[in-house]
Amino acid sequence: MEHPGGGLVATLASDQGATHCLFARVDQGTAAVMRTLRRALILDCDGYETPLFSADGRHIAIRGNAYDNSAEVFEFPSLHRVLAIALGDPSPGYPYPQKWLDQMQSWSRHNIAFGSASGVLWIATPAGALVEVDLETRQAVEHDVLTGSRLSALVATATGELLVAGSGGDLVLLSVLSDPTQTYTTSRDISRAAAVAFLEATAEIPEDVDDLETHLILTDGTRTWEADDLATVTETSATDPTWLQVQAAINKAQTQSE
């Protein structure tokens, strides 16, 4: 996924019960060259959908995973996690109506989008409604779109409208501009500034390295780990992510065998 500010892309790579969201600098020329950067997100387990940048480039959302029907949003360029919800049981703990929390299998895997408004995530539900989530206040508002029809897909258009697909074969195009003077392209300078800030706060990984992970600075949106940190961790709790528990178990086994 390309950052709207240009010069930066994000992709996913999974290994050992974890998924890395890797970022790369893109040098435009006769042929575009991508150079992997040290700063990266680490997500628990695998099976995530393609990362999604907001139009102003200040948030990145990731839908997943194979075992937990979740959606996470991170600020950009800080990579601080601002939203983590489960779409289905168990309840995410926010004051959302229980009717939005249906069985996992009824939720579409392609049901989140950023519209034209900054700091707002849209979620399509099995009940035929769109949920508008303010990422700063964590407040959510429900909008009826296709009552009685499961919303099977949601995407933002190039001009900021929302295109919604229903399980009954319906397609609905929605304009969500709250300010008539606002346009989807006014955030170009903001998105470029976010991309530049991220690039300036990290460094490229040499092309000839054998082990990419030893050069990554990882964050889950709350904590940050250097490669040396993960090489020495041996104790975790049941609330720690699966990938960290696996890493600790491997390190502990290696220490005991020495």
Side-chain angles (χ1 to χ4, degrees), residues 48-195:
Y48 292 89
E49 302 299 326
T50 303
L52 178 67
F53 283 110
S54 61
D56 62 7
R58 296 193 295 179
H59 290 94
I60 181 172
I62 304 178
R63 179 76 168 86
N65 53 46
Y67 313 99
D68 183 16
N69 201 26
S70 63
E72 295 180 84
V73 181
F74 304 84
E75 289 179 340
F76 197 87
S78 71
L79 299 184
H80 172 68
R81 188 174 63 193
V82 295
L83 185 70
I85 59 174
L87 304 180
D89 293 330
S91 168
Y94 298 126
Y96 301 163
Q98 184 62 36
K99 64 180 179 179
W100 295 350
L101 305 176
D102 206 346
Q103 296 297 319
M104 283 181 65
Q105 60 267 25
S106 65
W107 289 83
S108 167
R109 296 285 296 180
H110 305 278
N111 69 329
I112 63 172
F114 290 107
S116 56
S118 177
V120 174
L121 180 72
W122 292 87
I123 303 174
T125 76
L130 281 179
V131 179
E132 178 185 5
V133 182
D134 186 306
L135 297 176
E136 181 177 356
T137 65
R138 307 296 196 278
Q139 296 300 308
V141 179
E142 180 181 6
H143 303 271
D144 291 328
V145 177
L146 292 172
T147 303
S149 177
R150 183 175 71 90
L151 299 188
S152 56
L154 171 65
V155 68
T157 69
T159 52
E161 289 83 10
L162 295 177
L163 183 62
V164 183
S167 58
D170 304 287
L171 279 177
V172 179
L173 183 65
L174 301 170
S175 176
V176 293
L177 288 175
S178 57
D179 182 350
T181 65
Q182 183 182 15
T183 67
Y184 201 57
T185 58
T186 56
S187 58
R188 181 66 58 86
D189 291 342
I190 297 174
S191 63
R192 180 56 185 162

Side-chain angles (χ1 to χ4, degrees), residues 17 42-45 220 223 225 236-247:
I42 187 164
L43 309 167
D44 206 16
C45 303
D220 62 357
R223 294 173 289 178
W225 297 271
T236 58
S237 69
T239 59
D240 283 321
T242 304
W243 68 266
L244 187 58
Q245 295 182 50
V246 170
Q247 182 67 58

